Amino acid sequence: MDKMQRKRVGAFLLDWSAVIAIMISIIFFTAIMGLSFFSSANLTNILRAMSITTILAIALTVTLACDGFDMSACTLASCSGYVFMACYLWYGLSLPLSAVICVIFTMIAYLFTLFLILVCKIPDMLATCALMFVHQGLGQWFTGGGAISAGMALPNGAMPRRTFFEAGFVAIGQAPYIILIMFASVIFAHIFLQHTKQGTFLYAIGSNKTAAALSGIHVGRYRFLAGMITAVFIAVGAMVVCSRNTAAQLCGCDNYLMSALAAVFVGKSVGGKEKPTALGTVLGAGLIVILENGLTLCSVPYYILPAVKGGVLVAALAAVYLPGRRKL
Amino acid sequence: MTAKNISIEFPGVLALDRVNFTIHSGEIRAVVGTNGAGKSTLMKVLSGVYPSWSGEICVNGKSVELKTPAEALKLGIGIVHQEVDSAILPDFTVFENLLMDDVASDNHMIYRRKALRRQAEAILKELGIELQPGMLAKNLTLAQKQLLLIAKEVHKKCRLLILDEPTASLSMAETQKLFQFIRRLAKEEHTAVVFISHRIGEILSVCESCSVMRFGRITDEFPVTEHTRTEKIVEKMLGRVADGREDASGEHSDIRENPVMLEVSGLCDQKNSLKQVSFYVRKGEIVGLAGLVGAGKTEICKTVFGAEKKSAGVIKINGKEVILKNPTDAVRHRIALVPEERRKEGICPSESITFHLCVACLAKFCTCSILHKTAMGARARAAIKELLVSCRDEKQQIQFLSGGNQQKVIIGKWIEADCDIYILDEPMQGIDVGAKQEIFRMIKSLAKKGAAVLYVSSDISELLAITDRLYTLYNGQITAERKTAETEEQEIMYDMIGGNHG
């Protein structure tokens, strides 16, 4: 009896470890830093910093829901960023048109990823790992090896059509719009995954591909759908990053991969659901950013932060894969 | 070698019950029995896989401990399992596979490829096996892999060789070659060979004696001579004429006039395991498909359901030809499949009961692809009550249900989807007696409501209990068609083990 109870308490703590970790870190940082951490201004800071990680993590959530995997999501986001900025600055297209072209480009690029995975049957991990380098190389070829920002010449020496940013462009990357975009993405993904037929099918595929196929679910078709949705979120993430940096920096999105993965896996451990969910992903992104923010305030050097993010990812993976965590 | 009073108990079942088994060197002994009779369990005890047996085992008159495979090896007991692919290293050559155990146990730092190859050539030559030592093991045919593994056992100085269904996937010619080799092995090397097979014809041609197992006991032992008849062995495998058949013929007398709902003709698959399979199922009829493991039952189910590609043949539903490229097409034509391997293919373990009950007809529960979760929950609760699924509530993950309850949910999934044609592949595997009766009732009521049911199984008593008509399958071919009410267990068994096909 005692043992059973202890086991149940252990499972509970493990299931909600992400939430507990968030609360502990909030209390901890508040205790140390006081109001410079626990203030509405810093809350906005945290939400703003969360946005990009969350949007890219949502992209990964959709892929992971149907047991896919994408290591190349963030390198593709960098490429989408180049295309977006090139359209906007180099060719002087309007902001909405640039955005549409960016989304379409990302979807087309993602078709190639899906071709490798669904048609060539290369395991996701390997295919996207290889694509990561393809994206990096092709992207830099496109930009001529440099960033794309206002006032800089094209690789062929021509001058860009547009030399300054409109207010609307800059606003995308600032509060409150960046936070609203994040919440819109999360709400859309939540409704899609939890409350639609298609989302349910994605989870079915993620749970057992063969059983899903034998229930009449067209596995290839739904994985394709998941890929296209992932592509849209990648494009959104890319545009937000560009606006935030007011430039398409070289490999500007690549570093978000680890935070995004950590967010998804932290989310996967939440509530013992053992599957990636939109809300779980938000919690995961929140945990990572709160840690980053708090540690920065405590003047921990920035170059140590990747170790913290990596540590969160390791802990989340342990919580997901720890043996014998089956409930009673 | 003698084994006395061997018993072994697994949770809930006495798998072997005081078995006595003796074999002399140079003897080729057949062990036969129906599925689950305890053949494989006995062989695993003899090869040291199960340590928890009780009784006594003597080799050459001396009592021995036999608790691990390594001890079995030391005593010269070798076993070749049915699944040869799990025992070979596909990317290594024949000679490396053959001598891998030596390489693993010797103390040389350097891998002496040439010396090994020479040694392997000598062994193969001595045994008279024609294999290219340099070939990669993955390029061998099944029969060659089998020979390779046998050679490996013989090389380890094995005195007792156990072959668990070695011929299940071999062609006639390959089988003959294997038999020649076994005979020579017994005669020249004085190796004792235990031969497990479902094919009585093979046993008659190669074995000298035969042990019959039933319900974990050896019920009979006799020498095999030219006068031994197939019928006699079949009778002994089944014991008394036992069939718990319910008298259902009166109820179903009108089915014969019902229209044919599913008609399959000339079906072949791409792996060549089906040969021109033809059958039909009428509306309201339960048709059985009897066959042993490896006869092609699952292949038929999956090919009809579109999960595996067919290479020839026509599938007609209600008289119209349909093209089923994938399971989605099949579901659209209201065909349902309950797959054989429930855990691997039937369930999405971490999803809820509600999910499983509604997944095949989710379109019913949504407007513009937004789900009505309350409607789904209500429907699931109703279905759980109707199908007598015992569970905590409809939100419980399916992996925590018992096998029988999982199976009820899987069948329930298709009932909710309102299917017309049900293909059930070994639906009673691993299901306890109580749940079995309830699932039987479910299947019968499906047929009564006008569905066509194809019930695929290797268990004859199940088939006799529930079907109206029966096909038997042997080696990818339909060998017989019978009315269940007019047939006997022996006849079906006879067809299943290829009695007519030598």
Short mmCIF file of all heavy atoms in Angstrom, two decimals, chain A residues 118-166:
data_model
loop_
_atom_site.label_atom_id
_atom_site.label_comp_id
_atom_site.label_asym_id
_atom_site.label_seq_id
_atom_site.Cartn_x
_atom_site.Cartn_y
_atom_site.Cartn_z
N LEU A 118 8.67 10.48 -47.38
CA LEU A 118 7.50 9.66 -47.73
C LEU A 118 7.71 8.82 -48.98
O LEU A 118 7.19 7.72 -49.07
CB LEU A 118 6.27 10.55 -47.91
CG LEU A 118 5.84 11.33 -46.66
CD1 LEU A 118 4.61 12.15 -46.97
CD2 LEU A 118 5.56 10.38 -45.51
N VAL A 119 8.46 9.35 -49.94
CA VAL A 119 8.63 8.60 -51.19
C VAL A 119 9.92 7.78 -51.15
O VAL A 119 9.91 6.58 -51.44
CB VAL A 119 8.64 9.56 -52.40
CG1 VAL A 119 8.78 8.76 -53.69
CG2 VAL A 119 7.35 10.37 -52.43
N CYS A 120 11.03 8.42 -50.77
CA CYS A 120 12.29 7.68 -50.72
C CYS A 120 12.41 6.83 -49.47
O CYS A 120 13.33 6.03 -49.34
CB CYS A 120 13.47 8.63 -50.80
SG CYS A 120 13.45 9.66 -52.25
N LYS A 121 11.49 7.06 -48.49
CA LYS A 121 11.45 6.27 -47.26
C LYS A 121 12.74 6.37 -46.44
O LYS A 121 13.12 5.43 -45.75
CB LYS A 121 11.19 4.78 -47.56
CG LYS A 121 9.98 4.52 -48.44
CD LYS A 121 8.72 4.46 -47.63
CE LYS A 121 7.50 4.20 -48.51
NZ LYS A 121 6.29 4.73 -47.99
N ILE A 122 13.42 7.50 -46.51
CA ILE A 122 14.57 7.71 -45.64
C ILE A 122 14.03 8.03 -44.25
O ILE A 122 13.07 8.79 -44.12
CB ILE A 122 15.42 8.90 -46.14
CG1 ILE A 122 15.79 8.69 -47.61
CG2 ILE A 122 16.66 9.08 -45.28
CD1 ILE A 122 16.50 9.86 -48.22
N PRO A 123 14.62 7.45 -43.20
CA PRO A 123 14.14 7.79 -41.85
C PRO A 123 14.22 9.30 -41.62
O PRO A 123 15.20 9.94 -42.03
CB PRO A 123 15.12 7.05 -40.93
CG PRO A 123 15.64 5.93 -41.75
CD PRO A 123 15.64 6.39 -43.16
N ASP A 124 13.21 9.84 -40.96
CA ASP A 124 13.09 11.29 -40.76
C ASP A 124 14.37 11.93 -40.26
O ASP A 124 14.84 12.93 -40.79
CB ASP A 124 12.01 11.58 -39.72
CG ASP A 124 10.66 11.17 -40.19
OD1 ASP A 124 10.55 10.04 -40.67
OD2 ASP A 124 9.73 11.97 -40.08
N MET A 125 14.91 11.31 -39.21
CA MET A 125 16.07 11.88 -38.54
C MET A 125 17.22 12.07 -39.52
O MET A 125 17.83 13.13 -39.58
CB MET A 125 16.47 10.93 -37.41
CG MET A 125 17.59 11.39 -36.58
SD MET A 125 17.01 12.51 -35.33
CE MET A 125 16.69 11.36 -34.00
N LEU A 126 17.48 11.03 -40.33
CA LEU A 126 18.62 11.09 -41.25
C LEU A 126 18.36 12.07 -42.37
O LEU A 126 19.21 12.89 -42.73
CB LEU A 126 18.90 9.69 -41.81
CG LEU A 126 19.24 8.64 -40.76
CD1 LEU A 126 19.38 7.28 -41.39
CD2 LEU A 126 20.51 9.04 -40.04
N ALA A 127 17.15 12.00 -42.94
CA ALA A 127 16.84 12.87 -44.08
C ALA A 127 16.96 14.33 -43.67
O ALA A 127 17.59 15.13 -44.37
CB ALA A 127 15.42 12.57 -44.58
N THR A 128 16.38 14.68 -42.52
CA THR A 128 16.38 16.09 -42.14
C THR A 128 17.76 16.53 -41.67
O THR A 128 18.14 17.69 -41.82
CB THR A 128 15.33 16.38 -41.06
OG1 THR A 128 15.55 15.51 -39.96
CG2 THR A 128 13.94 16.19 -41.59
N CYS A 129 18.52 15.59 -41.11
CA CYS A 129 19.89 15.92 -40.70
C CYS A 129 20.71 16.32 -41.93
O CYS A 129 21.44 17.31 -41.91
CB CYS A 129 20.51 14.72 -40.00
SG CYS A 129 22.07 15.09 -39.22
N ALA A 130 20.54 15.56 -43.01
CA ALA A 130 21.26 15.88 -44.24
C ALA A 130 20.77 17.21 -44.81
O ALA A 130 21.56 18.04 -45.26
CB ALA A 130 21.07 14.76 -45.26
N LEU A 131 19.45 17.39 -44.75
CA LEU A 131 18.88 18.61 -45.33
C LEU A 131 19.34 19.87 -44.62
O LEU A 131 19.44 20.94 -45.21
CB LEU A 131 17.35 18.54 -45.27
CG LEU A 131 16.70 17.79 -46.41
CD1 LEU A 131 15.20 17.72 -46.19
CD2 LEU A 131 16.99 18.47 -47.73
N MET A 132 19.63 19.73 -43.33
CA MET A 132 20.11 20.85 -42.55
C MET A 132 21.28 21.52 -43.26
O MET A 132 21.32 22.74 -43.40
CB MET A 132 20.58 20.28 -41.20
CG MET A 132 20.39 21.16 -40.04
SD MET A 132 20.40 20.15 -38.55
CE MET A 132 22.14 19.96 -38.31
N PHE A 133 22.22 20.69 -43.73
CA PHE A 133 23.41 21.25 -44.38
C PHE A 133 23.07 21.79 -45.76
O PHE A 133 23.64 22.79 -46.20
CB PHE A 133 24.51 20.19 -44.43
CG PHE A 133 24.90 19.74 -43.06
CD1 PHE A 133 24.48 18.52 -42.56
CD2 PHE A 133 25.64 20.56 -42.24
CE1 PHE A 133 24.80 18.12 -41.29
CE2 PHE A 133 25.98 20.17 -40.96
CZ PHE A 133 25.56 18.95 -40.48
N VAL A 134 22.15 21.10 -46.44
CA VAL A 134 21.72 21.60 -47.75
C VAL A 134 21.13 23.00 -47.59
O VAL A 134 21.46 23.93 -48.34
CB VAL A 134 20.67 20.64 -48.36
CG1 VAL A 134 20.11 21.23 -49.64
CG2 VAL A 134 21.28 19.28 -48.62
N HIS A 135 20.25 23.16 -46.58
CA HIS A 135 19.64 24.47 -46.36
C HIS A 135 20.69 25.53 -46.08
O HIS A 135 20.66 26.62 -46.66
CB HIS A 135 18.67 24.41 -45.16
CG HIS A 135 17.44 23.60 -45.44
ND1 HIS A 135 16.71 23.01 -44.45
CD2 HIS A 135 16.82 23.29 -46.60
CE1 HIS A 135 15.70 22.36 -44.98
NE2 HIS A 135 15.74 22.52 -46.28
N GLN A 136 21.63 25.20 -45.19
CA GLN A 136 22.64 26.19 -44.83
C GLN A 136 23.43 26.64 -46.05
O GLN A 136 23.61 27.83 -46.30
CB GLN A 136 23.59 25.61 -43.77
CG GLN A 136 22.98 25.65 -42.38
CD GLN A 136 23.87 24.99 -41.35
OE1 GLN A 136 24.78 24.24 -41.68
NE2 GLN A 136 23.59 25.26 -40.09
N GLY A 137 23.86 25.64 -46.85
CA GLY A 137 24.69 25.97 -48.02
C GLY A 137 23.92 26.77 -49.05
O GLY A 137 24.37 27.84 -49.48
N LEU A 138 22.72 26.30 -49.40
CA LEU A 138 21.94 26.97 -50.45
C LEU A 138 21.55 28.37 -49.99
O LEU A 138 21.57 29.32 -50.78
CB LEU A 138 20.70 26.15 -50.79
CG LEU A 138 20.94 24.89 -51.64
CD1 LEU A 138 19.61 24.22 -51.97
CD2 LEU A 138 21.68 25.24 -52.92
N GLY A 139 21.22 28.49 -48.72
CA GLY A 139 20.81 29.79 -48.19
C GLY A 139 21.93 30.81 -48.33
O GLY A 139 21.71 31.94 -48.79
N GLN A 140 23.14 30.39 -47.97
CA GLN A 140 24.25 31.33 -48.03
C GLN A 140 24.64 31.65 -49.48
O GLN A 140 25.08 32.75 -49.79
CB GLN A 140 25.46 30.78 -47.27
CG GLN A 140 25.13 30.68 -45.79
CD GLN A 140 26.34 30.32 -44.98
OE1 GLN A 140 27.45 30.68 -45.31
NE2 GLN A 140 26.11 29.60 -43.89
N TRP A 141 24.44 30.66 -50.36
CA TRP A 141 24.66 30.92 -51.78
C TRP A 141 23.71 32.01 -52.26
O TRP A 141 24.09 32.92 -53.00
CB TRP A 141 24.48 29.62 -52.56
CG TRP A 141 24.38 29.80 -54.04
CD1 TRP A 141 25.41 30.10 -54.90
CD2 TRP A 141 23.19 29.71 -54.82
NE1 TRP A 141 24.93 30.20 -56.18
CE2 TRP A 141 23.58 29.97 -56.18
CE3 TRP A 141 21.86 29.44 -54.55
CZ2 TRP A 141 22.67 29.96 -57.21
CZ3 TRP A 141 20.95 29.43 -55.59
CH2 TRP A 141 21.36 29.68 -56.90
N PHE A 142 22.46 31.92 -51.79
CA PHE A 142 21.43 32.88 -52.21
C PHE A 142 21.77 34.29 -51.74
O PHE A 142 21.65 35.25 -52.48
CB PHE A 142 20.07 32.44 -51.65
CG PHE A 142 18.95 33.37 -51.97
CD1 PHE A 142 18.45 33.46 -53.26
CD2 PHE A 142 18.38 34.17 -50.97
CE1 PHE A 142 17.40 34.33 -53.55
CE2 PHE A 142 17.34 35.03 -51.27
CZ PHE A 142 16.85 35.11 -52.55
N THR A 143 22.22 34.41 -50.48
CA THR A 143 22.48 35.75 -49.95
C THR A 143 23.88 36.23 -50.31
O THR A 143 24.22 37.36 -50.02
CB THR A 143 22.37 35.77 -48.42
OG1 THR A 143 23.39 34.93 -47.89
CG2 THR A 143 21.03 35.30 -47.94
N GLY A 144 24.69 35.37 -50.91
CA GLY A 144 26.05 35.75 -51.21
C GLY A 144 26.94 35.75 -49.99
O GLY A 144 27.92 36.47 -49.92
N GLY A 145 26.54 34.95 -49.01
CA GLY A 145 27.40 34.77 -47.85
C GLY A 145 27.28 35.85 -46.80
O GLY A 145 28.08 35.91 -45.86
N GLY A 146 26.30 36.72 -46.93
CA GLY A 146 26.14 37.75 -45.90
C GLY A 146 24.70 37.89 -45.47
O GLY A 146 23.82 37.21 -46.00
N ALA A 147 24.45 38.74 -44.48
CA ALA A 147 23.08 38.97 -44.03
C ALA A 147 22.35 39.86 -45.04
O ALA A 147 22.98 40.48 -45.90
CB ALA A 147 23.09 39.63 -42.67
N ILE A 148 21.01 39.87 -44.96
CA ILE A 148 20.24 40.80 -45.79
C ILE A 148 19.64 41.84 -44.85
O ILE A 148 18.79 41.51 -44.02
CB ILE A 148 19.10 40.08 -46.53
CG1 ILE A 148 19.66 38.93 -47.36
CG2 ILE A 148 18.35 41.07 -47.42
CD1 ILE A 148 18.61 38.16 -48.08
N SER A 149 20.12 43.07 -44.94
CA SER A 149 19.51 44.10 -44.10
C SER A 149 19.46 45.40 -44.87
O SER A 149 19.96 45.48 -46.01
CB SER A 149 20.30 44.28 -42.80
OG SER A 149 21.62 44.63 -43.10
N ALA A 150 18.84 46.39 -44.26
CA ALA A 150 18.56 47.63 -44.98
C ALA A 150 19.84 48.31 -45.45
O ALA A 150 20.83 48.36 -44.72
CB ALA A 150 17.78 48.58 -44.08
N GLY A 151 19.82 48.79 -46.67
CA GLY A 151 20.94 49.57 -47.18
C GLY A 151 22.08 48.78 -47.74
O GLY A 151 23.04 49.33 -48.27
N MET A 152 21.99 47.41 -47.64
CA MET A 152 23.11 46.63 -48.15
C MET A 152 22.85 46.21 -49.59
O MET A 152 21.73 45.92 -49.97
CB MET A 152 23.34 45.40 -47.28
CG MET A 152 24.12 45.77 -46.01
SD MET A 152 24.13 44.46 -44.82
CE MET A 152 25.02 43.21 -45.70
N ALA A 153 23.93 46.16 -50.37
CA ALA A 153 23.79 45.86 -51.79
C ALA A 153 23.52 44.38 -52.01
O ALA A 153 23.80 43.54 -51.15
CB ALA A 153 25.06 46.26 -52.53
N LEU A 154 22.93 44.07 -53.18
CA LEU A 154 22.70 42.68 -53.55
C LEU A 154 24.04 42.02 -53.86
O LEU A 154 25.03 42.72 -54.12
CB LEU A 154 21.81 42.63 -54.80
CG LEU A 154 20.30 42.66 -54.59
CD1 LEU A 154 19.87 43.99 -54.00
CD2 LEU A 154 19.58 42.39 -55.91
N PRO A 155 24.09 40.68 -53.89
CA PRO A 155 25.35 40.00 -54.21
C PRO A 155 25.90 40.43 -55.56
O PRO A 155 27.11 40.48 -55.76
CB PRO A 155 24.98 38.52 -54.21
CG PRO A 155 23.74 38.43 -53.43
CD PRO A 155 23.04 39.73 -53.55
N ASN A 156 25.03 40.77 -56.53
CA ASN A 156 25.52 41.14 -57.86
C ASN A 156 25.87 42.63 -57.94
O ASN A 156 26.14 43.16 -59.02
CB ASN A 156 24.50 40.77 -58.94
CG ASN A 156 23.17 41.49 -58.72
OD1 ASN A 156 23.09 42.43 -57.93
ND2 ASN A 156 22.14 41.05 -59.42
N GLY A 157 25.82 43.30 -56.82
CA GLY A 157 26.25 44.69 -56.80
C GLY A 157 25.14 45.71 -56.98
O GLY A 157 25.34 46.89 -56.72
N ALA A 158 23.94 45.25 -57.43
CA ALA A 158 22.83 46.19 -57.63
C ALA A 158 22.36 46.73 -56.29
O ALA A 158 22.57 46.11 -55.25
CB ALA A 158 21.68 45.49 -58.35
N MET A 159 21.71 47.89 -56.30
CA MET A 159 21.21 48.46 -55.07
C MET A 159 19.80 47.94 -54.81
O MET A 159 19.03 47.74 -55.74
CB MET A 159 21.19 49.99 -55.15
CG MET A 159 22.56 50.63 -54.95
SD MET A 159 23.49 49.93 -53.57
CE MET A 159 22.61 50.66 -52.20
N PRO A 160 19.43 47.71 -53.56
CA PRO A 160 18.08 47.24 -53.27
C PRO A 160 17.04 48.31 -53.58
O PRO A 160 17.33 49.51 -53.55
CB PRO A 160 18.14 46.95 -51.77
CG PRO A 160 19.26 47.76 -51.26
CD PRO A 160 20.26 47.85 -52.36
N ARG A 161 15.81 47.85 -53.89
CA ARG A 161 14.74 48.77 -54.24
C ARG A 161 14.25 49.54 -53.01
O ARG A 161 13.74 50.62 -53.12
CB ARG A 161 13.54 47.99 -54.80
CG ARG A 161 13.80 47.32 -56.12
CD ARG A 161 13.41 48.27 -57.27
NE ARG A 161 13.50 47.57 -58.54
CZ ARG A 161 12.51 46.84 -59.02
NH1 ARG A 161 11.39 46.71 -58.35
NH2 ARG A 161 12.66 46.22 -60.18
N ARG A 162 14.33 48.88 -51.86
CA ARG A 162 13.81 49.52 -50.66
C ARG A 162 14.96 49.71 -49.68
O ARG A 162 15.80 48.83 -49.52
CB ARG A 162 12.74 48.60 -50.03
CG ARG A 162 11.88 49.27 -48.98
CD ARG A 162 11.13 48.23 -48.18
NE ARG A 162 10.11 47.55 -48.96
CZ ARG A 162 8.85 47.96 -49.07
NH1 ARG A 162 8.45 49.04 -48.47
NH2 ARG A 162 7.98 47.26 -49.77
N THR A 163 15.03 50.86 -49.07
CA THR A 163 16.19 51.13 -48.22
C THR A 163 15.81 51.31 -46.76
O THR A 163 16.67 51.43 -45.90
CB THR A 163 16.92 52.39 -48.69
OG1 THR A 163 15.96 53.42 -48.85
CG2 THR A 163 17.66 52.14 -49.99
N PHE A 164 14.54 51.37 -46.45
CA PHE A 164 14.15 51.54 -45.04
C PHE A 164 12.98 50.60 -44.74
O PHE A 164 12.32 50.12 -45.65
CB PHE A 164 13.76 52.99 -44.76
CG PHE A 164 12.54 53.41 -45.54
CD1 PHE A 164 11.27 53.33 -44.96
CD2 PHE A 164 12.65 53.83 -46.86
CE1 PHE A 164 10.16 53.69 -45.69
CE2 PHE A 164 11.52 54.17 -47.60
CZ PHE A 164 10.27 54.11 -47.00
N PHE A 165 12.76 50.38 -43.45
CA PHE A 165 11.66 49.50 -43.05
C PHE A 165 10.41 50.30 -42.75
O PHE A 165 10.47 51.35 -42.11
CB PHE A 165 12.05 48.71 -41.80
CG PHE A 165 13.13 47.72 -42.05
CD1 PHE A 165 14.41 47.94 -41.60
CD2 PHE A 165 12.86 46.58 -42.78
CE1 PHE A 165 15.41 47.02 -41.85
CE2 PHE A 165 13.86 45.66 -43.03
CZ PHE A 165 15.14 45.88 -42.56
N GLU A 166 9.25 49.76 -43.18
CA GLU A 166 7.99 50.39 -42.82
C GLU A 166 7.70 50.09 -41.35
O GLU A 166 8.18 49.10 -40.79
CB GLU A 166 6.85 49.82 -43.66
CG GLU A 166 6.97 50.12 -45.14
CD GLU A 166 6.02 49.26 -45.95
OE1 GLU A 166 5.97 48.04 -45.72
OE2 GLU A 166 5.32 49.82 -46.80
#
